[in-house]
Amino acid sequence: MTAHEQLIARRGRRSGVTTMVAVHSSALGPAVGGCRFKAYPSLTAAVEDALRLSAAMTAKCAVAGLAFGGAKSVIALEPGRVLSPEERRDVLLDHGELIASFDGGYLAGPDVGTGPADMLVLREVTPHAYCTPEAAGGTGSSSGPTAAGVLAALRAASGTRSMAGRRVVISGYGSVGAHLAASLQASGASVVVSDIDPSKRAEARDFEWVPPEKALTMPADVLIPAAVGGVLTPETVARLDTPLVVGPANNQLSEDAVADALAARGVLWVPDYVASAGGIVYTLSREAEGLDHAAGLARVEAIEDTVADILAAAKAHSTTPLFEAAALAERRLASV
């Protein structure tokens, strides 16, 4: 993967909060990526997150066949700082001005800590923010399409459209995790959920609940990481009790070598940037290319074919799905 093209960080003139945009690649087109709004222990940690996530967005767009590059933006709060609604608005306006300075070279969307309402605030200072509320003419939350893409990836990896009788553990009961839990339960799966936020347990009352520390290693037919990244480490992989890992969480591996450890244990892992592409595929199809809902969803469903091709290549070449996904991304980037 190539080096990053740009990293710009700026202290907001209204809020004093540091925000940044990392553009990894614009080889395929304007760079797209979500806006992450969270506390970081240091600016170095925030920069590292932006760089890592933007590189993953390049691969995500390339593998999905999108004419867009990869980027990410980060709003880096100081640990322990709590913003009032007015202060949050000021931070978003500051960040919107930074996005506007890219003049369409970076297109923002929601990510951890942001949602459609925040994109509407960004729109006050830049047109380059997607997933605004449906009432405002946008496509709203991308959680549904993201979940649909994960289910498409799961169909390819499991070789079946039915999850009846399967035990599925979902680590992370956010908006995407909730969509997945409901869909999988409706298809006949036995669904177990977990989240670091104990208040989520009331929302997840229709499913079996387990503590977060148990979710990753309990016996299951499928494990779905749907929360933070870095959860698949050499230590956790050694304790996995599942043959299949497919989920929407970004940067699931603590390092690329973990993909080899998963393969050595006989665990099939679908690369996160492939399985999680449904949201960006749908949003760009609708808001950037003007396609209708059915056409946008059809593109999301095509993730099933992409995953099937990657897994077939890994089997044929005795490699890992991560290797084949990265090779596919490199071929598409090299083609331009």
Side-chain angles (χ1 to χ4, degrees):
M1 195 72 74
T2 58
H4 284 75
E5 294 178 5
Q6 284 182 289
L7 171 66
I8 297 179
R10 181 183 295 174
R11 188 178 296 277
R13 63 183 180 88
R14 299 174 184 81
S15 65
V17 172
T18 299
T19 76
M20 62 192 72
V21 173
V23 174
H24 178 257
S25 173
S26 57
L28 294 172
V32 299
C35 170
R36 183 159 291 200
F37 195 152
K38 58 174 285 189
Y40 288 89
S42 66
L43 283 180
T44 298
V47 168
E48 290 174 348
D49 208 20
L51 294 176
R52 182 173 59 251
L53 292 165
S54 58
M57 282 303 303
T58 295
K60 181 180 291 191
C61 289
V63 169
L66 298 171
F68 294 89
K72 208 75 175 184
S73 65
V74 162
I75 297 171
L77 280 183
E78 299 169 4
R81 181 172 178 182
V82 178
L83 299 175
S84 69
E86 294 77 14
E87 289 173 325
R88 181 182 176 88
R89 175 178 167 79
D90 282 345
V91 173
L92 289 166
L93 290 173
D94 286 338
H95 191 50
E97 289 181 349
L98 176 56
I99 294 169
S101 72
F102 283 79
D103 197 25
Y106 166 57
L107 311 177
D111 195 76
V112 172
T114 60
D118 298 312
M119 298 302 104
L120 200 56
V121 177
L122 295 180
R123 279 285 184 94
E124 293 182 28
V125 288
T126 175
H128 306 300
Y130 289 167
C131 291
T132 56
E134 292 182 55
T139 54
S141 172
S142 61
S143 300
T146 299
V150 173
L151 293 173
L154 181 56
R155 289 195 297 271
S158 64
T160 179
R161 299 188 67 86
S162 172
M163 295 303 293
R166 306 286 184 94
R167 183 180 177 86
V168 181
V169 175
I170 302 175
S171 177
Y173 195 74
S175 53
V176 178
H179 275 286
L180 289 168
S183 296
L184 289 165
Q185 186 180 71
S187 72
S190 172
V191 178
V192 181
V193 301
S194 178
D195 198 279
I196 59 171
D197 181 357
S199 69
K200 297 282 188 180
R201 186 168 188 172
E203 300 175 27
R205 58 185 175 275
D206 293 331
F207 312 104
E208 181 183 347
W209 177 274
V210 296
E213 62 272 15
K214 293 185 178 180
L216 292 176
T217 56
M218 68 183 303
D221 296 298
V222 185
L223 171 64
I224 299 181
V228 298
V231 294
L232 297 177
T233 66
E235 293 74 25
T236 57
V237 167
R239 296 185 294 122
L240 286 179
D241 192 4
T242 181
L244 179 58
V245 179
V246 185
N250 291 316
N251 296 321
Q252 293 169 22
L253 306 185
S254 61
E255 55 185 318
D256 286 354
V258 173
D260 297 310
L262 286 161
R265 288 212 59 213
V267 178
L268 180 60
W269 176 71
V270 176
D272 41 38
Y273 60 79
V274 182
S276 66
I280 195 72
V281 168
Y282 181 82
T283 298
L284 293 174
S285 296
R286 295 292 313 280
E287 297 196 30
E289 300 183 47
L291 299 183
D292 63 16
H293 170 72
L297 195 57
R299 284 190 174 182
V300 173
E301 297 295 336
I303 290 174
E304 181 175 355
D305 296 329
T306 300
V307 171
D309 290 343
I310 288 170
L311 298 184
K315 184 176 181 179
H317 302 151
S318 298
T319 57
T320 66
L322 179 61
F323 178 91
E324 296 299 337
L328 175 56
E330 291 290 359
R331 288 196 298 272
R332 287 183 171 165
L333 289 165
S335 70
V336 294

